[in-house]
Amino acid sequence: MSRMYYKNLMIMSRAKGIAAKFDFSESYNLILSDQKNNVGKSSLVKNIFWCFGCEPYFDDRWKSLDCEVALDFRIDGKIFCIHRYKNTITLIDDIGVKHKYTTIGGDFSSYLLELLNFDAKLKVRDEKHLITPPPAFYFLPFYIDQKKGWSNL
């Protein structure tokens, strides 16, 4: 599997006309707040996964912000950008070619797995053929929602 590093994340609210940018280190990143809860620490992490096609739980307050997200990341020294708004994902590869997807599975999942050099296949229930799993299947080990926990998976 290839090494992937997040460079920065931009979250833009179309409803409020505001944006925030978060820069990441290639080593460790600790997300802290001076306040205890409800300041966006989990939302920041959820938006990274949402960029890659996962569907984490967002409360109604967050959904009302009508956000779009852009994430710059690096895989084995090559820079990529992924942008998501609603169900449209645009991935700009390391040579500047735009790949646009309106579904999470299929071509998007296959391309992302190829980028990550992660050869995962799942058997379709009651069938003999294998499919490329959607991104949620391979990001799941890295994120369990704090509010829902393990019990609601």
Side-chain angles (χ1 to χ4, degrees), residues 79-90:
I79 307 264
F80 298 85
C81 179
I82 193 164
H83 174 271
R84 182 168 181 184
Y85 179 62
K86 299 195 182 216
N87 287 328
T88 300
I89 296 176
T90 304

Side-chain angles (χ1 to χ4, degrees), residues 10 27 39 47 51 59-60 67 74 77 80 83-84 93 151:
M10 178 88 74
S27 57
V39 294
N47 274 282
C51 262
D59 62 25
D60 290 336
C67 290
R74 211 175 61 142
F80 298 85
H83 174 271
R84 182 168 181 184
D93 66 22
S151 61

Side-chain angles (χ1 to χ4, degrees), residues 58-78:
F58 289 108
D59 62 25
D60 290 336
R61 186 172 150 248
W62 184 267
K63 289 178 188 174
S64 73
L65 294 173
D66 190 27
C67 290
E68 62 182 293
V69 180
L71 177 71
D72 291 329
F73 61 100
R74 211 175 61 142
I75 298 176
D76 295 335
K78 297 176 181 175

